[in-house]
Structures are given as structure tokens and as C-alpha cells.
Amino acid sequence: MDQAPITDMTGSALARDMQRHLQFSFGKDPAHAQVRDWRLALSLAVRDRIVEPWFKATRAAYAGHHKRVYYLSMEFLIGRLLEDAIVNLGLGDEAMAACAEAGVDFDALLADEPDAALGNGGLGRLAACFLDSLSTLGCPAMGYGIRYEHGLFRQTFHHGHQVEQAEAWLQQPHAWEFERAEASFEIGFYGDVREEDGRSVWEPGDAVVARAYDTPIIGWQGRWANTLRLWGAKPTKLFDLARFNVGDFNAAAEPEAQARTISRVLYPDDTTDQGRELRLKQEYFFTAASIRDIMRRYLDEYSDIRKLPTKVAIQLNDTHPAIAGPELVRILHDEHGLPFDEAAETARLTLNYTNHTLLPEALESWSEGLMWHLLPRHMRLIEQIDDWHARNHPRRTRSTIDHGVVRMGDLAFAMANKVNGVSALHTDLVKTTVFAEQHKLHPGRVINQTNGVTPRRWLVACNPGLSNLITDTIGTGWEADLERLSELEPHIDDAGFAEAFAAAKRANKIELGSWLKEEIGLTVNPDAMFDVQIKRIHEYKRQLMNVLETISLWQAIREEPEKDWTPRLKIFGGKAAPGYRTAKEIVHLINDVASVVNVDPLMRGRLAVAYPPNYNVTMAERLIPAADLSEQISTAGKEASGTGNMKFALNGAPTMGTLDGANVEIRDLVGADNFFLFGLTTDEAEERRETPGHATRAIAASPRLTAAIAAIEKGTFSPDDPARYHGLGRILRDSDYFLVCSDFDSYWQAQRRADEIYRDPAAWGRMAAFNTARSGWFSSDRTIRGYMRDIWDVEAIDS
Ligand code: 26W
């Protein structure tokens, strides 16, 4: 008789269960319990209330023989889970009451949870938002990834330098996962392939065990919960006792250490393919385990392997799981005996691929040699897939294997039912640049699905002030039907609404101000315009142009200190990939500029620079609700979409941006009057880049830019090392591939326009409110509905 699921959602029941878990799950006496103990106890009590919708969802998917979606991603940038679960279950008041009853500080408990930082940036966070929407919509789906022991590194600053430290989220009990010992698969590597009565048989030379760890992902109003299954690597044989007995202790522990290496740490690069063998092992490890698990579940329910595409839709989050194509063909052809072409076509109809970047250095390619060495059977199958594709498309000129490397984008494209870009502009560029030939060969295969963000985390949970105002104004229901925010429009010119809107923003700014004081010792002026740029540090995202504008503003204020300047607080947040030297120089420069500007008496209350270390999901939830201006200033044609831009717009922060990625669609929807546009378009940028001396000419034409660059070059911000930024100066003068110089003056003017409007709170408030009211389309619910309709052909199950 199975234990009746806990559905008692009252505060007293939650308090009772929290006490019960503290004492009986963690064996802690309430009299001596620490914040961590209470946080874990509350987490288990909340988790108890997720199990019932979780079981119901799984049973419903089986009962109805529903088609399922599998989202394969090397990254899930989840952040914290306790508050998210409480918000989705509608247990906010109950949780606060339970804590009050226990005499513990609810906010302290929330703050004690480490971020699950299992991702680098946009791609990983998008995957996490998608999981929230899949559950909210009642779409039967599973996320598959890697249970890294160490997520994205912790960033600290040492004399302005970025220093990386290993992140250790699993050094404490993880309340949200269930270990699934029964769901373990042996994953092979290396070895040989022998032919046996017409079939190829791969005999791996080494293997590790993939062990499943399940985290339930609850949707809005707790009606449905899907599973995120993360694989941890375990040794095939635990412990070499023989070696131990002869005193060779290290060798005895070797198998364990060897195996765990595969899921030990997340690669911290988010734009450069390092081509490391361990990275490919990670990619194959989780992809093969996931495919195994999917096939086991399918064959438990169905017998005809040919019907796989009718019941299974797999989404590849970029090329990182692209080995899924050859792996699925291997299973269908080598293990189930389907003829090769049929195996290939069946696999193709099951797989879909999302491209997230056009940057050449980010497009993965693996050397044939490494692929033959690590995955000999797959390399052979990649050759066969390439032949199959060539046979079906004689006019093609590009092949997946080229000059000794396997191009994973080409492989993913050839083995996909649908390929999608992540914004309208990006998808057009996918069709005309990286996959131009494939697009011609396969008309209709490339479609667009513009990204989105979950309003539960990025509005309801992180901005209760604004959320309550929205509910007071248009009622509830918008949280899962975000385009209803447009119902705010008629209220925007209502003085009461405008006042309440401004008050919500101001309260968030004051709260952020006290956090910045505590975190980095900076006193900020809450009346200043909070101008925020938070994202990974990268040359194409042009944090450098933002710093140069900051320097120019500093110089201008020093030239005319008596002038009535619009006060500004420049807030930066972001990590540089450890091996990305120029990005690390930009980090150092931001800190050096901050250290000069923030002590300059002429700047007091007028200009300050804040760069809190270790930007992550939780910090974004703190910064975005307090932002006045959203910096989305990438070189046109380089940012595939952006998702931070959507979060800022929803939280009432107008965009300072180029016509790049989803900025284009944000401007179309919020209105050109509610967007600060500047810079070259994609085509103009392309043309300018071809113009010899474009940088020197731009610098010569701009006294402000000239002065700003001169200042960093002569060591104004690095008196202890005047030559520190000569390299950055050279990049700007000689190549400036990302057109910082060409766009600088246009950027400066747009910033001054923002200064003008910000001086009129009613005008600014109006822009901000229109951004919130007109950004509902950027909900990841709308995005996932698009994937369900146009790619996966899956219906939601209404529970
Ligand atoms: C091989 C190393 C590597 C790792 C990650 C290369 C590339 C990546 C990701 C694709 C980089 C990424 O996060 N791209 C971002 O994806 C977001 C979600 O679609 C977009 O909004 C961003 O514009 C895009 O830069």
C-alpha cells in the first residue's frame, strides 16, 4: 500500500513536516539546529509536496501512451531551487509562517542555499527556464545532463584581477535530488570494432558507469512536475582490493578517481571550443546514457523500433550532444539490425538541433584522430552518415568530415528533423551564413524559435513589489499567461499606477544599494540611473565600449563639474573564461576604472562603478529588478538572441541596445520610443569591417573616444602599471573586429538621450511601464509552445 502523497498545503502541516525532517531526516535537535539544518528541513518538507504531482505526471504520460520530449544539454544553469519551488507551489505565506513558528529567519534560509551553477551562461539558463515552462504547460518531458561535482568556478577579484576557485555545491547535502541506483548504464570508450556475420560489434577498451540523479521540476501552481535526470560517473569496479592489500593505495583508488573525472567539473568556456578529449568524453558519456535510458523506456512500452519518432522527440541543446546522431544509428543498426539508411532516417526524424551561436570559434569540431581513438565505431558511422547524406543530396559541396576534422554542426544538421535558431535575426543569419548550403538543400528544415524566460523566477519570485502591483491591477493568471501584461497599458498614464510602479522600482534600488554597501563597500545614490550590464565577459558583448563610455563621462564631468549631470551608477557583472586573456584584461580594466572613479570627489553622487564579484543566477535575481537601464550593446550579428535583455524589459528597464539578436523583437514589441537604439546594423557592420582603417578613422573623428583610449593607454587607471592596457589599445586601433570605435559616438549620444529622459521621472516611468506591459511575448511558455507545435508535435497533458 503506497504512502498517501502529502497534499496538505496548510502552513501548520508545512511547519510540522519541517520539524519532522529536521529531527528525523537530519537528526538535529531544534534547540541546536543551524540555518543550514533548517534550510534543508524546509526544503524536504517542500519537496514532499512535489512528489504527488510528480508521480501523477509520470503515470499520466504512461497511461496515455503520450509522445515524450527529451531535452539533452551539457548545461542547466538552475540557480537556487527552494524559493522557486515555494513560489510554484504557492506556499510563500505558509513557508514564512512555518519559519516564524520555528523562530528562524526565512530570508536567511533562502540565502543559505548554494546556486546549482551547472552552466556557463545563456545556453544553460535557457535550458533551466525551458524545464520550468515544460512543467507549467504539462508537457511530458525530461531534461538530461551531467551532475557536475563542481559547477562554474567562483570568481573573486585580487587587486582587480579575476581569480577562479573551484565551486563546491555538493560539499553539503543536496535536498532536491533522488539518487537512482537502479538507473545506471555502463558507457564504453576506446577499444576496437570487429565484424561478426555482417554486423559491426564495438568492444570498448574502457568503461564507466553512468548513475542517474533525479530532480523533480515543479510547474506553476504545482499541477505537474517533470524530471531533470543528471548523470554522475562511477567506476565499473569500485575498489581494487588486491592492490590495496599490497599497499598500493593510490592504484587501489585509481578506478574511482579515473571515472569520477568525467563528471567532476563543468568546462568554463562559453564560446571557444577547446577540443579537449575529456570534454568529448563528457559529451558522449551523458548523451549515450540518456539515449540508453530513452530506448529502455520506449521498449518497455512499445515493440516496433521503427515507430520511435512517433513517441520520442529529442532536442539537442547546441552541438554538445550531437554525437547522439551516430549513437542512435549505432543502436538501431548494430543492436536492432535496421538497415543503415532506415536506421539513419529513423534517427534523423527523432532528433532536433538548436544552434545558439555563429561565432566560428564556438562551432565544435573534433579531430578524426581523436574520434577514431575514443569512439571508433561512431567515427565509422559518421563516415557512413556522410555518404548517406551525399547520396541523398548529390548537389552538396560541404561534407561533415573535412580536412581531418568532424564538424559537429554539419553532423547535427544532417541528422536533424528540425534545426532552429534562437531569434528572428539569428535564424536568418543561420540560413545565410553557417548553414547556407544546408538550408538550400533542406528547405523548411531551419525554423525560428525566439528564446524566452520563465516569468515565475524572473518576475514573480525576484520582483514581488512589481508582481503584486500587476496582480492588483489586472488580477492573477498572468503568471502563466504573460501576454496579459498588455492589460496594464490602459493604466500606464494613471497617476496612482505610475506612482506605485516607480515606488516598486525605487524600493528594489534601495535594497540593492544596501546589498552593494555590504558586498563591495560602495555607497550608491538611489536617485542615480542604475545602468546595468550583466553577462559573460566577451569582446562581442562589448563591455569594453561601456567602460570607454564610462571613462568619457568621467572626463566630461571633470571638464564641467558645475554642470547638472544626470547621476549614474554603472553596474557590471560577469565572469571571463579562465583561458580568455583579453576578457580578463577587460575585467581588470573595469575594476581599475571603478577604483579611480569611486574615490574621485568630483564624482560623488554623480558617477560610480560597481562590479560585485561572482555574478550568477542569484545575483541576477537581485540586480535586474533594481535596474533602470539594460545594456544590450553587442556588435550587430553576434549575439544570437540574449535572454537577459528579456528579463530587464519585463522588470521595467528600457534597453540601451543595437539591432542584434532578440533586441530587434524587443524593440518591435515595446515600441521604438521605449528603446534606446544605436549603432550599425548587421549589414552595415559587415561592410564597415571590410573598410580598411575603420577604427583609426572612427577614433580620429571622435575627440571623446580619442581621449578615453589615451587615458587607458597612458595608465590613468593603472598608475602602478602604466602599460597594462597597451594591448587593449592596440586591439582597438589595429583590428577592432567588434567595431567598438565605429559605434562609440552613436552609443555616447544614445546615453545622453537616456540622461535627458531620466531627468523626467514621468517620461522615464512611462517607458519603463511600456517595457513591462509589452514584453509578455518573451515568456519561455510561448517559446515552448512553439517547440511543441513546430518541432516536437507534442500535446500538453492537462492534469
Ligand atoms: C564549446 C564551448 C561552448 C560552450 C557553450 C561554445 C558555445 C556555447 C554556448 C552556445 C554559448 C551560449 O551560451 N550561447 C548563448 O545562448 C543563448 C541562449 O540561446 C543566447 O541567448 C545567447 O545570445 C548566446 O550567446
Side-chain angles (χ1 to χ4, degrees):
M1 208 291 293
D2 56 1
Q3 152 71 31
I6 297 181
T7 53
D8 181 338
M9 294 300 195
T10 60
S12 54
L14 188 65
R16 181 203 60 226
D17 293 344
M18 180 164 79
Q19 293 279 354
R20 182 171 50 77
H21 279 298
L22 183 81
Q23 298 170 47
F24 304 113
S25 302
F26 296 101
K28 282 292 171 107
D29 176 341
H32 308 302
Q34 307 299 308
V35 166
R36 166 112 350 120
D37 307 317
W38 286 109
R39 189 259 296 172
L40 291 168
L42 177 59
S43 301
L44 289 194
V46 171
R47 189 185 76 175
D48 292 347
R49 286 151 175 76
I50 293 176
V51 168
E52 194 260 338
W54 194 21
F55 290 175
K56 239 175 85 194
T58 307
R59 289 177 190 155
Y62 271 106
H65 300 300
H66 288 274
K67 183 174 185 179
R68 288 187 185 81
V69 169
Y70 296 105
Y71 199 84
L72 271 58
S73 180
M74 276 283 272
E75 305 184 18
F76 287 95
L77 195 41
I78 295 164
R80 291 171 174 167
L81 275 169
L82 178 54
E83 183 177 32
D84 181 67
I86 287 171
V87 164
N88 271 311
L89 288 167
L91 288 174
D93 300 342
E94 289 76 5
M96 278 195 270
C99 289
E101 192 182 312
V104 291
D105 170 2
F106 180 51
D107 289 332
L109 265 60
L110 294 179
D112 175 69
E113 182 181 356
D115 270 37
L118 308 181
N120 280 285
L123 170 140
R125 182 56 233 177
L126 184 83
C129 283
F130 278 9
L131 291 181
D132 182 88
S133 287
L134 286 162
S135 290
T136 294
L137 294 172
C139 176
M142 279 184 80
Y144 279 113
I146 295 181
R147 181 182 182 264
Y148 299 105
E149 277 180 55
H150 303 286
L152 188 60
F153 63 85
R154 166 171 286 285
Q155 176 195 51
T156 54
F157 293 140
H158 187 66
H159 299 307
H161 277 289
Q162 170 180 298
V163 173
E164 301 90 23
Q165 289 158 315
E167 186 284 328
W169 71 302
L170 287 177
Q171 293 314 311
Q172 53 184 282
H174 177 34
W176 299 100
E177 69 177 10
F178 294 89
E179 181 168 359
R180 299 291 196 217
E182 75 282 6
S184 297
F185 298 97
E186 196 162 297
I187 306 300
F189 296 104
Y190 310 112
D192 305 304
V193 180
R194 58 184 173 73
E195 299 309 313
E196 189 182 281
D197 47 19
R199 274 198 195 193
S200 302
V201 180
W202 175 31
E203 280 174 344
D206 189 8
V208 298
V209 170
R211 162 79 49 86
Y213 295 78
D214 289 355
T215 299
I217 304 291
I218 189 75
W220 177 243
Q221 295 188 324
R223 275 199 295 273
W224 186 277
N226 283 322
T227 303
L228 170 58
R229 178 160 280 186
L230 300 178
W231 301 101
K234 302 268 182 203
T236 50
K237 62 180 187 329
L238 260 183
F239 180 59
D240 191 330
L241 192 60
R243 286 211 166 291
F244 185 88
N245 291 342
V246 297
D248 192 346
F249 305 130
N250 292 343
E254 184 56 25
E256 168 92 21
Q258 261 299 324
R260 282 177 59 188
T261 305
I262 290 182
S263 57
R264 178 100 59 197
V265 64
L266 166 77
Y267 268 90
D269 317 286
D270 78 329
T271 50
T272 311
D273 170 19
Q274 303 288 349
R276 297 271 192 299
E277 178 171 339
L278 177 58
R279 167 83 180 187
L280 180 55
K281 278 181 115 173
Q282 290 185 331
E283 294 185 353
Y284 180 67
F285 165 76
F286 100 96
T287 300
S290 306
I291 300 270
R292 275 249 169 272
D293 198 37
I294 292 167
M295 296 305 283
R296 175 193 55 73
R297 190 173 300 106
Y298 176 80
L299 292 168
D300 280 357
E301 217 170 330
Y302 311 99
S303 55
D304 184 353
I305 199 79
R306 291 174 177 75
K307 293 229 174 12
L308 186 70
T310 65
K311 292 298 181 183
V312 170
I314 297 175
Q315 192 69 34
L316 306 181
N317 201 17
D318 217 280
T319 59
H320 313 153
I323 198 72
E327 175 65 7
L328 198 45
V329 172
R330 185 180 74 80
I331 290 171
L332 295 173
H333 180 57
D334 292 3
E335 296 183 4
H336 291 270
L338 257 64
F340 181 86
D341 286 20
E342 190 177 358
E345 187 60 9
T346 304
R348 186 187 71 76
L349 291 171
T350 308
L351 297 168
N352 304 284
Y353 156 52
T354 301
N355 174 279
H356 295 269
T357 183
L358 300 173
L359 298 177
E361 68 269 26
L363 301 175
E364 289 188 300
S365 61
W366 294 104
S367 80
E368 265 188 86
L370 173 59
M371 199 63 92
W372 277 118
H373 176 53
L374 187 68
L375 300 169
R377 180 59 186 140
H378 297 77
M379 188 56 227
R380 179 73 195 97
L381 289 165
I382 290 170
E383 289 180 332
Q384 289 180 269
I385 288 169
D386 214 16
D387 297 346
W388 168 71
H389 190 251
R391 266 183 287 117
N392 292 336
H393 303 281
R395 282 182 303 108
R396 80 168 198 171
T397 62
R398 263 178 85 89
S399 76
T400 300
I401 306 164
D402 176 66
H403 295 90
V405 297
V406 179
R407 296 192 278 209
M408 299 309 274
D410 291 57
L411 176 64
F413 195 110
M415 285 303 293
N417 169 34
K418 289 290 183 195
V419 172
N420 76 283
V422 291
S423 77
L425 172 61
H426 172 64
T427 300
D428 290 345
L429 292 171
V430 163
K431 290 175 179 174
T432 55
T433 61
V434 278
F435 294 120
E437 174 174 305
Q438 286 95 334
H439 173 54
K440 285 197 194 62
L441 288 173
H442 304 279
R445 186 175 291 186
V446 180
I447 62 170
N448 180 48
Q449 294 295 345
T450 296
N451 283 165
V453 299
T454 171
R456 274 69 68 179
R457 183 178 292 268
W458 297 110
L459 195 42
V460 180
C462 73
N463 198 342
L466 177 54
S467 299
N468 295 338
L469 172 60
I470 293 170
T471 299
D472 296 348
T473 310
I474 65 171
T476 58
W478 56 269
E479 302 90 339
D481 183 4
L482 206 59
E483 287 173 63
R484 285 195 46 212
L485 291 180
S486 60
E487 295 168 25
L488 292 171
E489 290 207 32
H491 302 272
I492 288 179
D493 292 330
D494 161 54
F497 176 86
E499 200 183 310
F501 192 96
K505 179 63 76 178
R506 185 169 178 78
N508 293 335
K509 292 173 72 173
I510 288 169
E511 193 178 331
L512 178 62
S514 44
W515 180 76
L516 286 170
K517 179 68 182 163
E518 188 195 313
E519 193 70 15
I520 60 172
L522 185 69
T523 305
V524 304
N525 166 7
D527 300 324
M529 183 200 299
F530 283 21
D531 168 355
V532 183
Q533 185 172 22
I534 47 178
K535 51 189 75 224
R536 287 296 295 258
I537 309 296
H538 197 286
E539 288 166 89
Y540 86 81
K541 294 174 184 282
R542 299 203 290 191
Q543 283 90 354
L544 184 53
M545 186 169 71
N546 189 340
V547 174
L548 288 169
E549 193 269 340
T550 306
I551 292 168
S552 220
L553 182 56
W554 173 70
Q555 293 170 325
I557 295 173
R558 289 175 66 81
E559 279 152 27
E560 303 175 274
E562 68 302 326
K563 195 172 151 195
D564 178 14
W565 294 91
T566 300
R568 277 253 184 171
L569 171 62
K570 286 271 185 182
I571 302 176
F572 291 89
K575 294 173 179 175
Y580 190 175
R581 201 164 55 77
T582 303
K584 292 187 121 172
E585 283 182 15
I586 293 168
V587 167
H588 200 175
L589 177 61
I590 298 170
N591 282 321
D592 276 352
V593 169
S595 60
V596 169
V597 168
N598 293 345
V599 298
D600 182 336
L602 281 176
M603 297 305 129
R604 191 176 308 293
R606 289 202 279 192
L607 179 60
V609 179
Y611 190 358
N614 203 41
Y615 170 66
N616 60 14
V617 169
T618 296
M619 191 189 293
E621 291 170 17
R622 197 188 290 280
L623 294 174
I624 291 171
D628 293 305
L629 190 68
S630 158
E631 296 276 357
Q632 310 299 333
I633 61 176
S634 53
T635 313
K638 298 302 178 189
E639 189 70 85
S641 163
T643 45
N645 46 8
M646 299 164 183
K647 296 162 188 170
F648 280 107
L650 277 170
N651 283 275
T655 303
M656 169 63 68
T658 52
L659 283 179
D660 195 20
N663 292 0
V664 176
E665 290 152 273
I666 289 174
R667 183 169 174 270
D668 289 347
L669 284 170
V670 303
D673 302 350
N674 301 311
F675 189 104
F676 294 100
L677 179 66
F678 76 94
L680 299 167
T681 64
T682 305
D683 298 344
E684 291 164 345
E686 214 42 58
E687 197 190 317
R688 180 64 59 85
R689 202 171 283 123
E690 306 310 315
T691 316
H694 58 81
T696 35
R697 241 183 302 173
I699 296 168
S702 170
R704 288 192 186 291
L705 179 57
T706 300
I709 296 176
I712 66 173
E713 285 177 326
K714 70 173 181 277
T716 304
F717 305 102
S718 56
D720 54 325
D721 174 10
R724 179 176 295 163
Y725 298 113
H726 285 187
L728 286 180
R730 258 195 312 285
I731 288 174
L732 287 169
R733 294 182 189 284
D734 306 349
S735 55
D736 193 20
Y737 178 86
F738 296 104
L739 305 171
V740 167
C741 301
S742 294
D743 270 351
F744 182 82
D745 277 359
S746 167
Y747 180 50
W748 170 269
Q749 280 135 29
Q751 290 287 19
R752 301 296 74 79
R753 281 203 305 280
D755 276 346
E756 277 322 298
I757 297 175
Y758 187 77
R759 304 168 75 81
D760 173 355
W764 190 271
R766 220 164 170 278
M767 278 183 84
F770 273 117
N771 269 271
T772 297
R774 295 174 174 174
S775 296
W777 189 78
F778 296 103
S779 166
S780 47
D781 299 350
R782 179 271 313 156
T783 310
I784 290 296
R785 281 198 203 94
Y787 278 81
M788 291 168 72
R789 183 187 57 242
D790 309 333
I791 299 180
W792 305 328
D793 182 25
V794 163
E795 301 292 316
I797 303 177
D798 52 13
S799 56

